[in-house]
Amino acid sequence: MTKILMVCLGNICRSPLAEGILRSKLPKDKFYIDSAGTASYHVGSKPDIRSIKVAKKYGIDLSTIKSRAFTVSDFDLFDHIFVMDQSNLENVLNLARHKNDTLKVSLILNEIAPNENLEVPDPYYGNDQGFEIIYELLNEACNKLFIRLNP
Ligand code: 4NP
């Protein structure tokens, strides 16, 4: 079983959407996919209604996801940890205990544009169009992950 964790700040907008998109593409018997936030403001909450809506438009159900905080033990539980932006990257790497932890962590958009360190923009204070944009970016990144991780 390959275990993949998607991480953003609040775990209500970007990472639950990434979780749902990737889960819809990969075989359930071979991949475990989860998401978490580096901040705990929204722990226990459902994803933002705008993420739920854009996912539903593409046939993906996020309604059972609940926000949780990233913890150090996630380095032990997961094989790959994908973060959305530089700030998430710093927050996660600050918790790493050794090099093996850091090697699991990368910016998800490097799947599309290797080494360019592009970010999935934080859509929280924006409008619905921002959620369409993050859907498109995450869907493209998850298509690449499907090819790379499911040969
Ligand atoms: P996310 O978006 O990190 O993609 O879940 C955010 C959600 C909440 C906040 C910021 C970003 N917030 O400041 O509460």
Side-chain angles (χ1 to χ4, degrees):
M1 186 76 103
T2 302
K3 299 183 186 113
I4 300 167
L5 184 67
M6 301 293 189
V7 176
C8 61
L9 175 63
N11 190 214
I12 55 167
C13 298
R14 292 166 292 177
S15 61
L17 188 56
E19 174 189 341
I21 293 170
L22 191 61
R23 187 180 289 125
S24 75
K25 297 180 190 290
L26 289 171
K28 290 178 185 22
D29 57 331
K30 291 192 193 141
F31 291 90
Y32 174 73
I33 300 154
D34 193 12
S35 64
T38 59
S40 45
Y41 337 119
H42 298 282
V43 166
S45 301
K46 282 187 177 186
D48 187 287
I49 186 67
R50 296 164 296 176
S51 279
I52 292 179
K53 258 172 58 184
V54 77
K56 197 171 177 186
K57 178 174 158 190
Y58 295 98
I60 295 165
D61 178 22
L62 305 184
S63 68
T64 59
I65 297 176
K66 282 213 173 83
S67 174
R68 73 166 178 92
F70 180 86
T71 68
V72 174
S73 59
D74 287 317
F75 287 116
D76 300 321
L77 294 171
F78 292 90
D79 304 299
H80 303 279
I81 298 170
F82 294 106
V83 297
M84 303 294 134
D85 64 28
Q86 289 287 348
S87 156
N88 309 151
L89 185 64
E90 271 176 39
N91 290 331
V92 169
L93 290 180
N94 279 339
L95 294 173
R97 300 153 300 181
H98 39 65
K99 189 166 179 220
N100 203 38
D101 288 351
T102 69
L103 294 174
K104 295 182 174 185
V105 189
S106 63
L107 285 161
I108 193 167
L109 293 190
N110 278 352
E111 297 298 320
I112 305 174
N115 304 314
E116 287 192 22
N117 300 330
L118 301 178
E119 301 184 305
V120 181
D122 181 344
Y124 188 63
Y125 293 107
N127 56 25
D128 284 357
Q129 203 202 337
F131 284 77
E132 188 66 39
I133 289 167
I134 65 165
Y135 173 84
E136 301 288 345
L137 288 169
L138 291 171
N139 189 48
E140 199 180 336
C142 290
N143 282 337
K144 298 282 188 185
L145 280 176
F146 173 83
I147 293 165
R148 185 162 78 83
L149 301 177
N150 190 41

